[in-house]
Amino acid sequence: LFILPFFLFSATAGQLIDKTEKSLSMRRIKMLEIFIMLCAAWAFSAGELYLLIALLFLMGAQSSLFGPAKYSYIPQHLADNELIAGNALVQMGTFVAILIGTMAGGLLIAHEQGRQLVAVVLVVIAGAGYLASRFIPVTPSPCPELKINWNIFTETGRNIAFIYKNRTVFLSVLGISWFWFLGATYLVQLPNYTRLTLGGNEQVVTMLLTLFTVGIGSGSLLCNWLSGQKVEIGLVPFGSIGLTVFGIDLFLAKPVLDNAELIGLASFLQQQGSIRVIADVVLIGVFGGFYIVPLFALVQQRSDAQHLSRVIAGNNILNALLMVLSAIMAIVLL
C-alpha cells in the first residue's frame, strides 16, 4: 500500500512539479503531510487500524509528490561540480532519517503510553518539516505553460518513453532501480537473516541496520572526495564490484552458532566470525553509496531541465516496480 501510490501518482506528480514554482510545491506537500499526520495521531490514539492503513497509502502518495520536487530542485541551485556533494548529502540524510525513524518508532511504541507518544512525535516532525520548507529559496518553474495530462496510464507510458529516448538517462534510471531492488532485499531480509542465520535477537538486528545505514551515508559522502567534485561515473562500476564481492562474502561469513536461543549483542560480538559479518554489512553500504550517488547526479545533469521532474517521476515508477519484484523474488526463494 505504501509503494502503490508511486505507480498511480508519480506521472501526475512529475507534471505538477515541472509546472509549479518548486518552493511553493514543497511547502504545499509539507502542509499535506501535517494534515495526514494529524489524522494518524488521532488514529493511533483511538486504535483505528484500518484508518492507519489508509493513511499509510496517503503517506505513499505524499512521498510520490515530494521525490520529484526534491531531486529536480538540486540542479537548479547547484553547479555541475556541486551535484555529487548535493546528492550525497540528500542520500545520507534520507537513509539516516529512515534509520532514526525506524528505531524511534520501535522504542516509543513499546512504552506504556506508546501510541500517544508516537502520535505526538509524528505531528511534531511533520511541523518541523513544514518550518524547514519555509527556508527553501524560490525556484522558478522550468515549464509553467505545461498542460497537465490527468490520465495516469497514458502519462506513465509517456514518462517511460521519454526517458527511453535518452540512452544515458535511461541506463542510469535502470541502474538506480536495480540498486533499490538490491537494497530493498537487504533491508527487508536483514531481520530474518539475523534471527535464522546469525542466531541474533533484536539488538543484533538494530546494530546491523545501523551499520548498513551508516555505511551508505559514509559512502555517499566519500563520493564527493573520490570524484574530485565532478560527476564521476567510474565510481558506479567500482560500487557494483564492491556490492558483489562483499555480498558474496556475507554469504560465506557465517558465524559458528553455539546456542539454540537467540543471543544479544554482547554475545554475538564474541562469536567467531561476527566481525567479518559486521565488516561485510558496512562495506555493502559504503559501496552502495559509491554506486547510487553518481547515477542520480548523472540523471540530473543529462536530463532536459524542462522535463526533469517527470524524469524523476518515471525513475520513481521503475524503482517501485523493482522493489515489488524484490519482494516477490524473496517470497518465491524463501
Side-chain angles (χ1 to χ4, degrees):
L1 279 172
F2 185 75
I3 296 297
L4 182 61
F6 288 90
F7 291 110
L8 296 178
F9 306 130
S10 285
T12 305
Q15 296 178 88
L16 291 171
I17 300 302
D18 271 338
K19 184 179 177 64
T20 314
E21 192 272 310
K22 286 190 177 64
S23 67
L24 176 62
S25 294
M26 287 195 255
R27 285 196 294 275
R28 286 173 174 172
I29 294 167
K30 284 296 172 185
M31 282 296 292
L32 174 63
E33 183 178 312
I34 292 175
F35 171 74
I36 296 170
M37 288 301 98
L38 284 170
C39 294
W42 182 84
F44 265 113
S45 300
E48 293 288 343
L49 178 61
Y50 292 109
L51 179 57
L52 285 169
I53 292 171
L55 291 166
L56 184 68
F57 176 84
L58 287 180
M59 275 308 294
Q62 189 263 359
S63 298
S64 72
L65 287 166
F66 198 72
K70 177 173 69 172
Y71 284 109
S72 64
Y73 164 89
I74 293 172
Q76 282 189 256
H77 287 276
L78 299 181
D80 279 0
N81 65 346
E82 297 173 320
L83 282 178
I84 290 288
N87 281 282
L89 287 170
V90 168
Q91 288 300 320
M92 183 196 70
T94 300
F95 277 96
V96 169
I98 290 169
L99 173 70
I100 293 171
T102 303
M103 293 172 66
L107 290 170
L108 290 170
I109 203 70
H111 193 272
E112 188 178 345
Q113 300 294 323
R115 290 188 298 181
Q116 288 73 23
L117 285 171
V118 169
V120 171
V121 169
L122 287 175
V123 175
V124 169
I125 292 173
Y130 175 74
L131 289 176
S133 73
R134 301 292 306 178
F135 295 93
I136 297 172
V138 173
T139 309
S141 163
C143 197
E145 73 286 351
L146 178 68
K147 289 186 178 179
I148 305 295
N149 175 15
W150 296 101
N151 187 318
I152 58 174
F153 302 106
T154 58
E155 187 59 28
T156 297
R158 279 167 52 180
N159 263 17
I160 303 301
F162 183 79
I163 294 172
Y164 185 73
K165 288 179 184 177
N166 187 325
R167 179 175 170 78
T168 301
V169 171
F170 178 67
L171 293 176
S172 298
V173 166
L174 287 183
I176 292 167
S177 297
W178 176 85
F179 173 81
W180 284 109
F181 177 90
L182 184 70
T185 305
Y186 273 121
L187 286 171
V188 172
Q189 298 307 324
L190 202 53
N192 277 337
Y193 166 76
T194 305
R195 183 169 55 87
L196 300 176
T197 303
L198 303 181
N201 64 13
E202 64 276 2
Q203 293 178 350
V204 183
V205 174
T206 301
M207 180 199 67
L208 292 179
L209 281 171
T210 302
L211 292 174
F212 182 68
T213 307
V214 169
I216 290 181
S218 303
S220 298
L221 291 178
L222 279 170
C223 271
N224 190 47
W225 177 64
L226 290 172
S227 65
Q229 296 187 331
K230 63 179 185 292
V231 179
E232 178 50 75
I233 204 66
L235 284 173
V236 176
F238 179 57
S240 66
I241 290 167
L243 285 168
T244 305
V245 169
F246 292 107
I248 292 170
D249 194 65
L250 184 63
F251 168 75
L252 299 172
K254 182 181 176 184
V256 178
L257 297 179
D258 297 327
N259 303 318
E261 296 181 1
L262 298 181
I263 58 175
L265 182 56
S267 299
F268 172 74
L269 292 174
Q270 293 171 0
Q271 297 281 329
Q272 185 180 357
S274 61
I275 301 303
R276 183 178 172 187
V277 170
I278 289 170
D280 285 334
V281 169
V282 172
L283 289 168
I284 287 169
V286 169
F287 280 91
F290 291 163
Y291 177 87
I292 191 68
V293 169
L295 286 176
F296 264 117
L298 191 67
V299 168
Q300 292 162 346
Q301 186 185 57
R302 299 292 183 89
S303 296
D304 180 351
Q306 290 194 329
H307 288 83
L308 182 54
S309 296
R310 281 166 283 176
V311 169
I312 300 295
N315 170 70
N316 288 345
I317 293 166
L318 291 175
N319 290 177
L321 175 63
L322 267 289
M323 283 191 275
V324 170
L325 289 177
S326 84
I328 293 170
M329 180 197 73
I331 290 168
V332 171
L333 292 178
L334 294 174

